[in-house]
Amino acid sequence: MALIDVDSVLAELTIHEKIKLLAGKDTWSTFALERLNIPALTTTDGPHGARGTSFFNGPRGMLLPCATAMGATFDQDLMSAVGKMLGRETREKGCQVLLAPTVCLQRSPLIGRGFEAFGEDPWLSGTLASAYVNGVQSEGVACAIKHYAAHDQSTNSQEDSIWVSERTLRELHLLPFQIAMKQANPWSVMTSYHSINGVHIAEDPWLINQMLRKDWGWDGLVMSDWFGTYSTAEALNAGMDLEMPGPTRWRGQLLLWSIASKKVKQETLDFAVRNFLNLINKVQPSLQPVDPSTAGDSPEKRALCRKVATDSIVLLKNEKSILPLNPTIGGKTYALIGPGALYPAVSGGGSADLVPYYVSQPLDALKELVGAGNVTTNIGCYGHLFTPLLSSSIMVPGTSEEGFYLEYFTQEPDSSGTTNPVATTTTTQAQMYFADNLPEGITEGYWVRVSTTYLAPETRMIEVGLCVLGKGRLYVDGVEKIDLFTSQPKKTIQTPMFDQASMEVTTVIDVKEGQKYEIVVILHNERLTAGVGALNAGGLRIGCCEHFDPATKLSEAVELARSVDYPIVIAGLNADWESEGLDRKSLALAPQVDQLIEAVLSVNPNAIIVTQAGCPIAIPWVESSKTLVHAWYGGQETGAAIMDVLFGKVNPSGRISVTFPKRLEDTPGFLSFGKQDKMLHYGEGVFIGYRYYEKLRNPPLFSFGYGLSYTTFVYSDLNVPKEINLTKQDTFQVSVKVQNTGSRDGAEVVQLYVLDLTSSVQRPVKELKGYRKVHLPAGSSVDVAFTLDKYALSFWSQEQEKWLAEKGTFEICIATSADPNDEVLRQPFDLVAEYLWSGL
Ligand code: BGC
């Protein structure tokens, strides 16, 4: 396809056509205009994979570890490889815009979608995002970097009104975007849902036209978050080009009328259309179809996902060098214990989630390493909020195909089975969120019958659970077992599908090995909770797990831990707890999980503890555990990656990307996180993450940047110029020598922090301004050089409304984490002249 001649196309377009181009056509795409050879653009979420255009029953994809895990790699080269692969995956799904990366900083560990962003530090976040964006866009796919800006609560965030100083915005929450603008130029920006200082971002001329376009000189396309446009004239006048998704709520006739009444100028309309046409030109390569023979799952993509997963894992404790385990020592016995042993957490929930090609199971990975005969497993307890998805031992009734059979109706199907469905399909997904991909002929109010044949793999009691988005009933062998049709339990916790589903109701059934059970759910998308007649995207979620007596299971697992050489516990949070649309209330894991870990440690103090969560968690048993490995949400390679690290196939090099506090009360957002009568003051100012703990001299549990290795590193030869003058030089060099003094090859994350010792304003004690991951064979050393510039020395001066690098004394600090105890070398220098600047 030839490039669009933007000027002549603009001259040809009618006003109706221009308006049409500025809003989505459907959930994921824009309109095509064949008359002028304008193609449609199609978007897909990000950030951990490319889901394509369907929440329900879409294609599978490569599922990378969550973004906090990516942040923990501190590896820009790896992020650029990730970006390239995601650009490729986006193209394979027929899309041209990846709705990623997310660069908002976690000011509270409770944010439900905190796992989607790289970490708490703006330099880490902005530089990793830049590498990611450059990778994606090298494939001719646009990134829509999000959520612009300062998105830090997930529960109903459209209503959140954030109050924050310009300095806090500039130095923290806008900075990752600014860095990405400078280093990568993302072709699109997605606005966030909330308002800042009284104005919703999608209609804020200061944040969009002034900041993005004038201050930073950026020329890309601004799109709203999904249903995050709240006005017609205001949004367009502020510079928000594309309303997503479609069909439009705010453009169409309303925009025509705004133009007719001169609330929106023709030139404003043309400016937005120009941005849209320019974006089409930029993504030209991804408008070409991909050769299907080179698409899909591949060993190279798997290897990359595994590398990101292993490189993100953080070794937090390793007393007496219990780790790495040695798989070649014969006669050792292992037990795999904990909810994560059976149900590894691969992703948080919400728009970032997708169905992976496969999931590497920890049990399989362990057996492969040490032999099946040496491994025993016992879950010990459950850690979920919702029964794990019914995803095995199920068949489409009357066939040998794995999965569920779905029949869609426009009216209630009668129980005798004589109502003809409008459409049918099959799926293997036990969570069915019908926000898209509904068949043709389905009306606003519809019914779905879902059936599956459950073939019991053993004789036991099972618990079957149902959540609905709408109302529904579950039957087993024709007998109604769950009624969420006539009434639904009061919501007391967050629920699946963006916190919109009902509470789960479960039923316990005795099943016999080899026998078949017909499970049927009938759903109507009319919501009970939103009042009679409320129709919406419907959905349902069928869960199933073994039903056991918690006390018996716990003692079995504890006995097992006592009897083996190495009990390995995998436990933590999962997508029930951390998801878009909700926020946690506490840092705690499910109480029974802490109880299990404590009990295992009490009988076998050498137990290896692996935690999984996208954001910090409480670790009350930390003192009694000799080992602690944090494995985030590891994506499709979770099992293999955990075992790679535990058995030393990979020397751990992940570093914490979000500080783990000792208590929730210690966190920067503690007093202002939550609904707060709709006025949320970011009162901690420029002190989030380690900046806060260090300023208050209140040490956290594990500081940003912290992580151990199986080898040791020694630093020396820190070279810093004595004097710097930014009015005469754009950059300056700092170097340091690192040596691997241990007996194993390993990778170290060299962290460079800057201290402003003579500042006239309150500044963080130190701030990360450079980092580098270096791979060092045992015994070898390397000189690591950093090129620093004005970004390393400046703060935002409210007085002068510019960035200011203040004359005075600074220090370069090389450290192995942000914890003051982990500083290894320091060297002062003088900035001999004041330097004021703006823009990028
Ligand atoms: C999320 C975005 C996402 C969009 C499309 C919104 O709910 O906030 O991050 O890209 O949906 O799924």
Side-chain angles (χ1 to χ4, degrees):
M1 234 193 83
L3 286 182
I4 297 172
D5 177 343
V6 173
D7 286 321
S8 59
V9 165
L10 259 175
E12 291 262 332
L13 283 165
T14 65
I15 193 163
H16 294 277
E17 287 169 334
K18 289 178 185 170
I19 289 175
K20 198 169 173 181
L21 292 178
L22 295 184
K25 171 174 167 254
D26 54 33
T27 313
W28 306 108
S29 297
T30 63
F31 283 96
L33 274 184
E34 273 157 33
R35 183 177 84 79
L36 292 167
N37 286 328
I38 299 176
L41 290 186
T42 304
T43 63
T44 170
D45 283 304
H48 314 127
R51 189 180 57 244
T53 55
S54 315
F55 269 110
F56 173 59
N57 239 4
R60 290 172 186 255
M62 306 306 288
L63 178 59
L64 282 148
C66 64
T68 37
M70 295 193 207
T73 68
F74 278 71
D75 191 338
Q76 292 179 41
D77 293 340
L78 195 55
M79 279 315 103
S80 107
V82 160
K84 216 167 159 42
M85 184 189 88
L86 288 176
R88 183 72 204 165
E89 284 272 297
T90 304
R91 291 186 63 173
E92 290 175 10
K93 302 278 162 42
C95 304
Q96 299 80 38
V97 183
L98 182 70
L99 306 173
T102 307
V103 295
C104 295
L105 312 174
Q106 304 85 348
R107 54 186 284 281
S108 166
L110 298 182
I111 175 168
R113 64 191 308 194
F115 67 89
E116 280 184 53
F118 295 112
E120 70 188 27
D121 181 85
W123 187 259
L124 179 72
S125 183
T127 47
L128 290 180
S130 300
Y132 180 110
V133 171
N134 282 327
V136 172
Q137 294 190 167
S138 72
E139 286 290 313
V141 167
C143 275
I145 191 168
K146 64 190 186 183
H147 306 86
Y148 184 72
H151 183 35
D152 187 51
Q153 302 214 27
S154 207
T155 312
N156 210 10
S157 38
Q158 289 89 343
E159 67 179 14
D160 288 341
S161 169
I162 283 162
W163 293 80
V164 55
S165 74
E166 182 172 350
R167 180 173 170 214
T168 303
L169 278 178
R170 296 267 195 177
E171 284 185 34
L172 288 180
H173 304 285
L174 293 178
L175 190 55
F177 292 94
Q178 181 174 337
I179 294 167
M181 292 301 161
K182 190 175 163 81
Q183 299 185 357
N185 187 23
W187 296 334
S188 179
V189 167
M190 183 194 289
T191 55
S192 191
Y193 283 124
H194 54 265
S195 69
I196 293 188
N197 298 339
V199 188
H200 273 93
I201 297 158
E203 54 197 48
D204 187 340
W206 182 72
L207 273 170
I208 303 177
N209 273 341
Q210 180 63 41
M211 188 74 63
L212 288 173
R213 297 197 163 114
K214 295 211 175 77
D215 281 18
W216 297 345
W218 176 75
D219 65 355
L221 172 116
V222 179
M223 66 173 73
S224 70
D225 198 349
W226 268 228
F227 307 109
T229 308
Y230 311 104
S231 61
T232 302
E234 290 87 338
L236 209 61
N237 287 336
M240 207 288 285
D241 307 309
L242 179 67
E243 175 194 347
M244 282 305 282
T248 183
R249 292 177 174 183
W250 295 101
R251 297 195 167 178
Q253 280 300 320
L254 289 174
L255 182 50
L256 193 62
W257 194 234
S258 292
I259 293 166
S261 61
K262 309 269 188 230
K263 285 186 84 176
V264 173
K265 291 182 185 153
Q266 285 273 2
E267 67 181 78
T268 307
L269 181 73
D270 285 358
F271 179 72
V273 175
R274 183 180 288 281
N275 291 333
F276 180 71
L277 298 176
N278 283 339
L279 181 64
I280 294 179
N281 280 342
K282 289 174 186 159
V283 299
Q284 278 289 317
S286 57
L287 286 160
Q288 317 306 322
V290 169
D291 172 3
S293 69
T294 64
D297 195 3
S298 75
E300 295 76 31
K301 289 179 180 171
R302 287 185 180 207
L304 181 61
C305 291
R306 183 155 170 180
K307 179 160 175 56
V308 180
T310 49
D311 287 9
S312 73
I313 291 177
V314 190
L315 178 64
L316 289 168
K317 287 188 80 177
N318 192 18
E319 284 169 18
K320 306 217 166 98
S321 297
I322 290 179
L323 292 173
L325 303 171
N326 187 342
T328 59
I329 301 181
K332 296 285 176 200
T333 51
Y334 300 82
L336 199 57
I337 295 171
L342 195 55
Y343 303 108
V346 296
S347 172
S351 64
D353 203 6
L354 65 144
V355 183
Y357 287 112
Y358 73 106
V359 170
S360 148
Q361 295 292 334
L363 188 59
D364 297 339
L366 179 59
K367 285 181 175 170
E368 202 181 303
L369 275 167
V370 299
N374 298 318
V375 181
T376 317
T377 189
N378 188 307
I379 192 165
C381 72
Y382 286 130
H384 56 253
L385 292 172
F386 300 95
T387 315
L389 292 171
L390 173 55
S391 55
S392 59
S393 312
I394 47 168
M395 288 168 309
V396 172
T399 75
S400 55
E401 181 190 337
E402 184 187 34
F404 302 88
Y405 182 61
L406 277 80
E407 299 159 278
Y408 297 88
F409 305 91
T410 49
Q411 60 184 52
E412 182 169 8
D414 69 20
S415 50
S416 61
T418 52
T419 318
N420 279 335
V422 175
T424 63
T425 189
T426 60
T427 187
T428 52
Q429 275 176 242
Q431 174 158 305
M432 306 172 200
Y433 179 44
F434 302 121
D436 49 28
N437 218 4
L438 278 167
E440 295 247 329
I442 278 301
T443 48
E444 209 181 289
Y446 61 89
W447 299 70
V448 185
R449 179 162 51 210
V450 176
S451 344
T452 191
T453 304
Y454 176 75
L455 178 63
E458 50 186 288
T459 300
R460 59 183 179 176
M461 287 204 283
I462 59 168
E463 198 163 327
V464 176
L466 179 70
C467 289
V468 291
L469 189 46
K471 47 191 197 177
R473 293 189 170 96
L474 182 139
Y475 304 83
V476 177
D477 288 340
V479 180
E480 183 182 306
K481 293 284 185 182
I482 297 175
D483 175 13
L484 286 168
F485 202 94
T486 44
S487 70
Q488 295 178 357
K490 188 172 166 351
K491 254 182 84 168
T492 51
I493 53 166
Q494 57 210 39
T495 57
M497 293 175 262
F498 302 89
D499 200 22
Q500 300 176 96
S502 69
M503 296 285 283
E504 184 178 51
V505 172
T506 58
T507 177
V508 174
I509 310 163
D510 257 315
V511 295
K512 296 227 161 30
E513 183 182 339
Q515 274 197 23
K516 291 179 176 169
Y517 301 84
E518 299 304 321
I519 300 178
V520 172
V521 173
I522 298 194
L523 172 95
H524 180 31
N525 70 324
E526 182 182 87
R527 290 197 197 174
L528 263 185
T529 44
V532 180
L535 290 166
N536 232 314
L540 62 110
R541 182 191 184 284
I542 308 174
C544 178
C545 60
E546 184 190 352
H547 176 75
F548 53 67
D549 169 49
T552 313
K553 198 53 118 188
L554 176 73
S555 63
E556 280 170 17
V558 173
E559 279 320 303
L560 176 62
R562 194 200 303 272
S563 68
V564 296
D565 297 308
Y566 299 111
I568 300 171
V569 181
I570 306 179
L573 303 176
N574 64 12
D576 299 351
W577 300 80
E578 287 189 281
S579 169
E580 176 183 346
L582 46 97
D583 299 302
R584 278 185 295 156
K585 301 274 181 296
S586 118
L587 295 174
L589 304 181
Q592 65 276 16
V593 170
D594 286 331
Q595 200 189 346
L596 170 72
I597 297 174
E598 269 158 18
V600 166
L601 285 169
S602 72
V603 298
N604 196 332
N606 291 341
I608 286 132
I609 313 293
V610 180
T611 49
Q612 288 207 274
C615 275
I617 48 175
I619 311 180
W621 32 263
V622 69
E623 290 303 327
S624 34
S625 172
K626 288 189 189 138
T627 58
L628 182 56
V629 175
H630 189 67
W632 311 100
Y633 297 136
Q636 64 184 44
E637 298 292 340
T638 298
I642 291 174
M643 297 309 158
D644 281 348
V645 168
L646 297 189
F647 286 85
K649 203 163 163 188
V650 174
N651 192 345
S653 63
R655 303 288 182 259
I656 287 286
S657 50
V658 259
T659 300
F660 278 48
K662 285 194 182 131
R663 313 175 308 157
L664 183 61
E665 289 80 349
D666 294 340
T667 57
F670 178 66
L671 291 175
S672 56
F673 192 87
K675 283 303 175 184
Q676 302 287 343
D677 207 13
K678 300 196 180 147
M679 299 274 278
L680 305 167
H681 287 271
Y682 280 19
E684 71 286 349
V686 296
F687 304 98
I688 67 167
Y690 63 89
R691 290 163 168 80
Y692 184 74
Y693 300 96
E694 189 167 20
K695 197 77 177 174
L696 265 55
R697 296 202 190 124
N698 183 17
L701 190 55
F702 297 109
S703 221
F704 173 84
Y706 183 76
L708 303 170
S709 165
Y710 297 147
T711 186
T712 46
F713 299 96
V714 167
Y715 290 80
S716 63
D717 302 349
L718 174 59
N719 274 309
V720 179
K722 290 215 156 30
E723 288 189 350
I724 288 153
N725 188 344
L726 290 175
T727 64
K728 300 212 173 115
Q729 60 189 119
D730 288 338
T731 60
F732 59 99
Q733 306 286 321
V734 168
S735 68
V736 66
K737 189 191 262 321
V738 195
Q739 190 181 1
N740 179 346
T741 49
S743 54
R744 275 176 183 266
D745 300 352
E748 170 71 324
V749 175
V750 183
Q751 300 169 42
L752 182 153
Y753 295 85
V754 175
L755 293 81
D756 185 350
L757 300 181
T758 50
S759 172
S760 61
V761 299
Q762 285 264 20
R763 294 196 66 183
V765 177
K766 64 174 181 280
E767 295 186 285
L768 184 80
K769 294 296 174 184
Y771 61 90
R772 184 82 49 77
K773 185 166 246 182
V774 287
H775 299 265
L776 285 173
S780 70
S781 63
V782 69
D783 286 317
V784 182
F786 294 93
T787 301
L788 303 180
D789 63 8
K790 59 191 180 187
Y791 280 79
L793 306 180
S794 309
F795 65 91
W796 179 258
S797 164
Q798 304 257 89
E799 173 87 35
Q800 315 216 43
E801 294 182 359
K802 285 202 166 61
W803 289 97
L804 171 61
E806 226 175 8
K807 188 175 166 210
T809 308
F810 290 78
E811 245 175 8
I812 296 290
C813 167
I814 301 293
T816 55
S817 92
D819 184 328
N821 296 318
D822 288 339
E823 294 178 0
V824 286
L825 293 170
R826 270 199 191 210
Q827 180 100 27
F829 66 91
D830 285 327
L831 183 68
V832 296
E834 171 178 300
Y835 187 69
L836 270 175
W837 59 281
S838 53
L840 295 180

